[in-house]
Amino acid sequence: MRCWGHITVILLTVVVDEAQPSFHCHHMTPASNPHQRMVSVAVWSGERGWGLDVDACQCQSLLHNTLRCGGMEDSGLVREGWKLPDPTATPPQSPATSPTGGITLNVLNQRTGVTIFHKIFPLLQYWAHWADLKWHLERVAPGRIVVMTVAVSGTTGLRDTAHLLAQLGSLFALHLTPTTHWTWIFIKGGRTISETTILRGYTTHFAHLILPLLQLPMPATSDKDQQVQQEQRWQYCAAHAAMGGLCDEYDPDPMPVPTPPAVAHQSAIASVPVVVTAGSRNQYIYHTLTTLLTTPGAQQNNIMVILGDAPQSTTQLLHLFNISFTRLNVHGNNNNELFHYYRNVFQFVAHKFSNAPAVIFLDEDVEVSPDFFSYMSQTLWLLLKDPSIYCINAYSATGFYGTAYDPRTIVRARVQVEWGYALTLTFIKEAIRMWPSKTSEVDTLFYDEWLYMHVSNGRECVFPEVSRTLHFGIGVNTQAWFTELYFLSKPLVKQSHISLDNVCTLLLEHWKEHFSRSIKQAIPLTGNPCGTNFVPHVNTSTNFVFYYNMLKMPDGQPNYTNFFFAAKCLNAWGSSPQGLHERVLTVRVSKLATLYLVGAPYSPYGYLLPPYIRPWDHDSITEEDEDIILTKIRELEMGKYEIKNQDVTSDYLTSILFVN
């Protein structure tokens, strides 16, 4: 049984003025511990913003046994929040320092009361950000003091995270309306201290309470060899939260990380450096490094972190891990900064690892599969053997839930480097020579897209049907809907030591032969690709082919309009022409059925079109088929878009909370 110390609640209410209430020491202080340390917590939520104040408390008078909080020298522990400017003010007020609405997550150190994590999740948006809130909440260690509020508005996109909040003890989370204002203070893994809500209206509401702090000492170790490292660990955790098992005092991650087992082709990756590009998001970095270091085949001495704009919290974490790292100078803002940062990364790698056969790259917000190094060890040789291949991606360009089934299958296609990839030093040096030192407004500032457009020169990448990495982070370039639809919907291989099928067939000449034979022997499909039962149900392994009309545009480039419609009908990648081999997309539509989407006559494989079949053309379909397509694509892209609890009332909520 976990013990949280003496947590005594004296207040669970809404206070509508900002005056600090008066408390008596004997109400809060157990007789057995007259020196119990306490803090005063005040939190408010409203349409004008949010706020959190934490002050140290002390007994003002032993005679009258009263408690005084705030107003003392050095009593202020936390001052977080912001208030939107008054639109009626004359002259206009200056803009708020943080005008973004959403749900705020603040984590306080349970021993000191200071803030050790703060982030606002923009849950005004329906898509993706709920997953980031859930990810961080799950990594808050048991025993932490958690303060959550709604700032302006922020429950529309709460979605599945509401169930996690309910599991953690929230009474209101499953019933919050889109216009709710809400505050919640609780002990992670323990109990609710205060929870307040106003379902509708514009009233700013406050919650005030006195909270005893934990008196238990930090964890200790009896192992003298690990004592220094463990002390550094808990010192780090005293200042940082949402770090997962690193800071879990009851079930901590082992440190140092145990050496994982080798993979069957360990020699293929023995001299291949693994470069992790990182910055200020230490919660993400910890998760990435722990999954990386515990993956079979990992060699800690091969891993190097290259930092850009990184604070001390990141470097301290890397020292704790005993991971090699270096800093690079960065300039600019957002994507401009990132574009030049990756140029510097490539330059550093070319100098530092000039004799390496290849280099594996990961970002700070990429989780690797247990099969990551096994996959790389079986495919890296293709980079050196086949000059028509420029990268090995561990991330699946085309494998989503419903289109990814067989972890043994790998394919090749035209695609950019993605999350978790390998390049040769030859390609890296080629990219450096072409990389612009200055960029114009018309240039792409996404380095991976730039490599694809300007350096790959028609070469392809190898990638698995089922992804060996998961891009879980939310950052500068997050487009919430796109992130959820294409990044968070990737199945990740959970097994290790998977033997890949027919790796040799990825060599270009073998691949062309294999591809031609597979398409030639496939069963042609006709009709509406969004139609019901477009792909027949099969009981044995079967290939199908669907020919769509693809012609040249005036600039000589292929017209992908028909491809986009057909691919989206099949819940496949259809937002760009990436992922295609010679204008053909391979889609695994079920465990036993594979479908080839062939652009005819433009594709080199268009000659396989049977003379009795006319390529499908969206411009020639009936209005009825157009309605079917629009309905199907809307369902696939938007899902069951639903705003819950719009009609919840105070009476309804009261009946739920106080039912006999």
Side-chain angles (χ1 to χ4, degrees):
M1 182 178 69
R2 293 177 176 175
C3 177
W4 310 110
H6 296 284
I7 303 294
T8 308
V9 180
I10 73 160
L11 185 63
L12 179 56
T13 186
V14 177
V15 182
V16 295
D17 62 69
E18 298 191 49
Q20 188 65 255
S22 176
F23 296 96
H24 295 286
C25 290
H26 69 272
H27 285 164
M28 293 300 303
T29 308
S32 59
N33 187 6
H35 301 293
Q36 172 78 58
R37 296 182 61 231
M38 290 169 273
V39 292
S40 163
V41 180
V43 59
W44 66 272
S45 168
E47 66 160 347
R48 306 298 305 154
W50 75 284
L52 169 64
D53 290 345
V54 180
D55 289 296
C57 300
Q58 67 179 11
C59 283
Q60 182 71 8
S61 168
L62 292 177
L63 179 63
H64 297 97
N65 204 20
T66 58
L67 190 70
R68 183 187 177 194
C69 300
M72 303 169 291
E73 186 178 356
D74 298 327
S75 67
L77 297 174
V78 177
R79 295 290 182 271
E80 299 277 6
W82 45 267
K83 186 178 291 186
L84 289 178
D86 184 353
T88 64
T90 304
Q93 298 179 14
S94 60
T97 56
S98 183
T100 304
I103 287 184
T104 72
L105 174 62
N106 296 273
V107 182
L108 309 183
N109 184 307
Q110 65 270 40
R111 293 179 174 86
T112 64
V114 302
T115 300
I116 53 178
F117 179 84
H118 165 68
K119 187 172 182 177
I120 300 176
F121 299 84
L123 297 186
L124 285 164
Q125 301 180 45
Y126 183 80
W127 305 102
H129 293 282
W130 64 270
D132 197 33
L133 171 58
K134 184 178 180 182
W135 189 94
H136 283 86
L137 266 174
E138 289 174 336
R139 285 159 179 78
V140 175
R144 299 293 202 192
I145 302 168
V146 183
V147 182
M148 301 184 69
T149 65
V150 170
V152 184
S153 181
T155 58
T156 298
L158 191 57
R159 294 174 56 190
D160 289 357
T161 307
H163 295 282
L164 174 60
L165 296 175
Q167 293 170 8
L168 292 173
S170 171
L171 295 175
F172 298 146
L174 295 176
H175 312 287
L176 300 177
T177 69
T179 58
T180 287
H181 290 114
W182 170 71
T183 73
W184 187 29
I185 305 171
F186 65 101
I187 308 297
K188 176 75 181 290
R191 66 178 70 182
T192 289
I193 305 302
S194 168
E195 186 172 15
T196 70
T197 185
I198 294 178
L199 297 179
R200 286 178 175 80
Y202 303 101
T203 304
T204 297
H205 72 294
F206 297 77
H208 291 173
L209 57 103
I210 301 298
L211 183 64
L213 297 176
L214 186 65
Q215 301 298 296
L216 298 177
M218 297 288 286
T221 178
S222 57
D223 189 336
K224 293 184 179 179
D225 294 335
Q226 297 184 13
Q227 187 170 357
V228 173
Q229 187 180 37
Q230 293 301 327
E231 288 178 353
Q232 292 173 344
R233 171 199 195 126
W234 299 120
Q235 287 173 1
Y236 186 87
C237 290
H240 305 283
M243 299 297 300
L246 177 69
C247 299
D248 189 331
E249 298 180 9
Y250 303 93
D251 186 22
D253 289 345
M255 184 170 285
V257 178
T259 302
V263 295
H265 303 279
Q266 188 72 36
S267 60
I269 56 174
S271 57
V272 177
V274 180
V275 170
V276 181
T277 54
S280 60
R281 300 179 294 180
N282 52 325
Q283 288 79 19
Y284 286 170
I285 298 168
Y286 178 74
H287 184 67
T288 294
L289 287 177
T290 51
T291 60
L292 185 66
L293 290 169
T294 56
T295 297
Q299 303 166 98
Q300 182 165 333
N301 61 327
N302 277 6
I303 298 173
M304 167 164 277
V305 177
I306 300 182
L307 300 175
D309 187 11
Q312 188 180 22
S313 59
T314 300
T315 56
Q316 286 177 334
L317 180 65
L318 297 175
H319 281 303
L320 194 60
F321 264 105
N322 195 27
I323 292 287
S324 298
F325 70 91
T326 189
R327 283 179 177 272
L328 299 179
N329 293 327
V330 293
H331 305 283
N333 296 305
N334 297 330
N335 285 317
N336 187 282
E337 176 184 353
L338 289 173
F339 187 77
H340 293 293
Y341 162 70
Y342 281 103
R343 177 176 180 262
N344 293 343
V345 168
F346 273 41
Q347 289 176 330
F348 176 85
V349 167
H351 175 74
K352 177 74 174 178
F353 306 113
S354 58
N355 296 322
V359 178
I360 295 172
F361 293 86
L362 285 168
D363 286 333
E364 66 182 6
D365 55 357
V366 174
E367 176 182 341
V368 302
S369 158
D371 195 55
F372 177 78
F373 286 110
S374 176
Y375 166 80
M376 284 291 184
S377 71
Q378 295 176 71
T379 56
L380 279 176
W381 67 272
L382 293 167
L383 277 177
L384 306 175
K385 181 73 173 179
D386 189 341
S388 69
I389 296 173
Y390 84 96
C391 81
I392 305 293
N393 281 340
Y395 187 85
S396 176
T398 59
F400 305 97
Y401 286 108
T403 62
Y405 294 95
D406 190 353
R408 299 168 300 173
T409 298
I410 51 176
V411 296
R412 60 177 288 166
R414 282 275 287 141
V415 71
Q416 68 188 40
V417 296
E418 295 184 298
W419 293 273
Y421 61 91
L423 300 172
T424 64
L425 267 295
T426 300
F427 182 85
I428 291 171
K429 292 174 182 178
E430 183 181 346
I432 293 170
R433 288 194 297 269
M434 300 176 64
W435 211 305
S437 58
K438 295 182 180 180
T439 56
S440 68
E441 294 181 358
V442 297
D443 292 327
T444 176
L445 293 179
F446 302 119
Y447 88 97
D448 43 9
E449 184 180 29
W450 178 83
L451 291 173
Y452 172 76
M453 294 172 59
H454 298 286
V455 189
S456 66
N457 194 27
R459 287 170 285 188
E460 295 184 317
C461 293
V462 172
F463 56 88
E465 179 178 312
V466 189
S467 191
R468 264 54 171 193
T469 60
L470 178 67
H471 177 227
F472 63 84
I474 303 290
V476 171
N477 295 307
T478 298
Q479 297 176 356
W481 167 81
F482 197 84
T483 295
E484 182 161 344
L485 190 63
Y486 292 116
F487 298 154
L488 300 182
S489 61
K490 293 279 185 180
L492 183 69
V493 171
K494 298 296 185 181
Q495 301 81 30
S496 59
H497 308 291
I498 293 173
S499 180
L500 301 176
D501 282 347
N502 303 317
V503 179
C504 288
T505 62
L506 273 292
L507 295 172
L508 185 58
E509 292 305 314
H510 295 311
W511 187 252
K512 286 182 176 180
E513 181 182 348
H514 158 76
F515 222 64
S516 297
R517 184 173 60 252
S518 297
I519 294 174
K520 189 173 183 178
Q521 296 174 351
I523 300 172
L525 298 178
T526 58
N528 190 337
C530 279
T532 304
N533 299 323
F534 170 71
V535 180
H537 176 75
V538 293
N539 294 317
T540 59
S541 181
T542 307
N543 289 340
F544 297 96
V545 60
F546 180 66
Y547 294 92
Y548 60 91
N549 193 27
M550 178 181 278
L551 300 173
K552 283 187 179 181
M553 296 189 295
D555 63 358
Q557 296 300 311
N559 187 330
Y560 285 101
T561 301
N562 290 319
F563 162 73
F564 293 148
F565 280 107
K568 289 186 177 183
C569 280
L570 298 163
N571 198 26
W573 176 259
S575 294
S576 77
Q578 292 197 38
L580 283 70
H581 167 69
E582 299 289 6
R583 319 303 183 215
V584 178
L585 180 68
T586 304
V587 185
R588 182 69 70 95
V589 291
S590 71
K591 288 184 178 180
L592 297 174
T594 299
L595 174 62
Y596 297 97
L597 294 177
V598 181
Y602 193 96
S603 170
Y605 298 97
Y607 78 94
L608 296 170
L609 172 71
Y612 59 88
I613 289 180
R614 181 181 178 184
W616 180 80
D617 196 321
H618 176 263
D619 289 340
S620 302
I621 64 175
T622 65
E623 289 186 9
E624 181 181 2
D625 277 342
E626 176 71 8
D627 289 340
I628 292 172
I629 288 175
L630 293 178
T631 300
K632 179 70 174 291
I633 292 177
R634 189 180 300 113
E635 289 177 353
L636 291 172
E637 291 189 347
M638 299 299 290
K640 295 182 179 179
Y641 181 71
E642 181 182 5
I643 306 298
K644 296 183 178 180
N645 302 329
Q646 294 197 80
D647 300 321
V648 171
T649 64
S650 298
D651 290 341
Y652 169 78
L653 191 54
T654 301
S655 68
I656 292 176
L657 297 176
F658 298 103
V659 66
N660 290 329

